[in-house]
Structure formats: structure tokens, C-alpha cells
Amino acid sequence: MNGALPLAGRVALVTGASRGIGRAIASRLAADGADVGIVARSADALAATRADIEAKGRRCFVLPLDVADGAAVTEAVKKFAADAGRLDILVNNAGVTKDGLLMRMSDEDWDTVLDVDLKGVFHFCRAAARPLAKSPAGRIVNVSSIVGMIGNAGQSNYAAAKAGLFGFTRSLAKELAGRKVTANVVCPGFIETDMTAGLPDAMKTQSLGQIPLGRFGAGDDIANVVAFLCSDGAGYVTGSVLPVDGGLAIGGFGG
Ligand code: NAD
């Protein structure tokens, strides 16, 4: 019925899928033919994404958990892969910020961001590696940030976690290449979601001035690239770190 779709018959798992970029990714993978498992801390928060996926005629599996809880992730991924029958695609998108200047940063704010944004990705990759290795075209896409590349005052915890994903993912790319599993990183720039909605207008105006393409990104800008990396056409791409930022990382001057 959906044989022409690029991800027909595949099963994907997307973390942080209740809203923003993760919701856009989950909906796009479903539109491309995949059944999708979706992760956030509560099932209620995932209801709208579930409706998006089921409206496209795909199966949806809801996994309410905290990505920082390694035991919960291991158990839930095992059950999900068994219920869905396979696992082909893992997109680690869940993330949080706890901004503050270094001199005032608490241990708690450091640990929260590292536990969710970096260790949470480790938890899911470890739990998913075996089922992904059985897929004919396993895919891992980790959502980092250009802040991991260029840094940002007030985000040393977030930058450390997001940069940590580069080395982590490249190591996975090498470990899993023999199983035909690719592992790549996408680095969003400034994307309009709840995460950025609360930033001061002055900061938004300043950021906009640094984006050569002259606009903030949308969730779909990231979902388009993730969908490509999950497709058969990206089978020779692994270990890459790809900015999707309207050129923000290269700066806004010149031209
Ligand atoms: P968002 O705050 O709108 O959504 C974050 C998602 O992660 C939600 O679904 C939330 O429920 C989930 N989540 C957070 N902590 C969790 C936890 N402990 N366990 C389970 N789920 C959890 O954020 P967004 O803007 O859509 O960002 C998505 C990803 O993209 C994040 O990793 C973020 O760091 C990254 N990113 C965003 C931007 C941007 O400009 N919005 C830029 C660069 C990178």
C-alpha cells in the first residue's frame, strides 16, 4: 500500500517527540512510511504526536520515561523492539537547557544537562544497538547543536554535552559500521520551538543578524535532514556532524 514511501516497513524511535523538533521528526518519519515509537516524560504530553502518526496510517508506540534513567530506557527499548518486531532508526532528540554563567553554575544544573543531553543518548544507543544491528539499514541520528561547535556564553554545560555527542557518535559509527548501522549528528542552529520561545527579544534580534539565510529555522528544516540521513540514499554517510543552521556557524558578515 505504501511501498513507494522511502521508509515503508521500517520502525523508528524518536526521543523528545512531544513537541518542537522531535515532534516534527516523528511526524516526518511517519509520513515517509515508518512506524514510530515516541519518547517523552509523560504519555499525556505525547498524545498530539501520537495522533499525527496514527493519522498517517502508521503504528505508534508511546514510551513515557526520563531519558536520564538508564534502567527504564533499557527495559522500554527492549519491550518496544519486541512489540514493534524490529528497530531500524533511532533519533536521539530529547534535550534540555539550564543556562547560567560558569561562575554561578550549580552542580545540579551541570548534572541535569549532562544527564539528559549526553548520558540519555548513551542510554538509548546502548539499549538499541542490538536490534539496530539486525536491521538491513540501521540508522542513528543524534541531535546536537551548533552551540557544541562554536560555544555560547551561559551555556557551558549544554555546549559540553552537545560537543560530547560528536566524539560519542563518531565512535559508534566505527563500532557499528560492520553491522551496516550508520551514526550521524545533526546540529540545529536557532530553531523556533518552546526551547527558544522564552529568549529575550534583544537576543533573538542579535541572533537573526548572524544567520546568513536571514531567518530562524523551523522543526521541519531539521526533520528534512534527519529523514534524509535515515533513508537508503544516505547509506554511505556515517560519522558526519552536519550543521542545519542557515549558516549561523559560519557567521553573518560578508557577501
Ligand atoms: P523542546 O524543549 O521544545 O522539546 C524537548 C523535548 O525533549 C520535549 O519533547 C521534552 O519532553 C523532551 N525531554 C526533555 N527532557 C527529557 C527527559 N529527561 N526525558 C524524556 N524526554 C525529555 O526542544 P526543541 O527546541 O524541540 O529541541 C529538541 C532538540 O534540539 C534538543 O536536543 C535541543 O537541545 C536541540 N536543539 C534545539 C535548538 C533550538 O533552537 N530549538 C537548537 C539547537 C539544538
Side-chain angles (χ1 to χ4, degrees):
M1 187 176 71
N2 52 13
L5 294 174
L7 299 179
R10 307 280 165 86
V11 172
L13 184 54
V14 181
T15 73
S18 66
R19 62 186 201 184
I21 294 171
R23 181 170 170 183
I25 292 170
S27 296
R28 172 58 191 269
L29 297 182
D32 283 357
D35 293 332
V36 189
I38 51 176
V39 177
R41 276 161 297 190
S42 84
D44 285 353
L46 289 164
T49 309
R50 179 183 192 157
D52 286 349
I53 292 166
E54 290 180 342
K56 293 179 171 70
R58 310 288 168 253
R59 292 186 299 165
C60 180
F61 302 81
V62 172
L63 286 70
L65 55 80
D66 184 339
V67 301
D69 181 344
V73 171
T74 301
E75 193 182 325
V77 171
K78 197 172 175 186
K79 183 175 184 319
F80 166 67
D83 290 349
R86 58 191 288 166
L87 178 57
D88 304 283
I89 294 164
L90 170 65
V91 181
N92 285 298
N93 164 81
V96 288
T97 51
K98 293 278 178 193
D99 297 351
L101 294 174
L102 175 68
M103 284 185 276
R104 290 198 287 267
M105 184 170 291
S106 66
D107 284 15
E108 191 186 353
D109 284 353
W110 175 270
D111 289 343
T112 298
V113 171
L114 272 287
D115 283 351
V116 173
D117 295 14
L118 183 58
K119 199 169 182 188
V121 179
F122 157 66
H123 290 151
F124 268 91
C125 290
R126 181 177 59 181
R130 279 194 180 84
L132 286 172
K134 291 184 190 147
S135 167
R139 299 280 187 267
I140 296 171
V141 181
N142 292 330
V143 178
S144 174
S145 168
I146 58 146
V147 168
M149 292 183 161
I150 64 177
N152 195 21
Q155 291 197 306
S156 58
N157 50 357
Y158 184 71
K162 294 300 193 182
L165 291 176
F166 303 161
F168 175 73
T169 308
R170 287 173 171 145
S171 300
L172 290 193
K174 290 184 173 179
E175 279 189 33
L176 299 175
R179 306 298 191 102
K180 305 274 185 294
V181 178
T182 67
N184 293 288
V185 177
V186 167
C187 296
F190 194 120
I191 311 300
E192 289 189 298
T193 68
D194 291 324
M195 185 179 268
T196 48
L199 294 174
D201 285 344
M203 190 185 285
K204 289 185 188 170
T205 305
Q206 192 198 9
S207 298
L208 192 57
Q210 293 169 349
I211 300 173
L213 286 179
R215 68 171 176 88
F216 296 127
D220 286 344
D221 289 311
I222 307 304
N224 288 339
V225 175
V226 172
F228 165 67
L229 289 171
C230 294
S231 71
D232 287 345
Y236 202 57
V237 182
T238 197
S240 73
V241 173
L242 182 58
V244 186
D245 66 348
L248 178 53
I250 56 171
F253 299 106

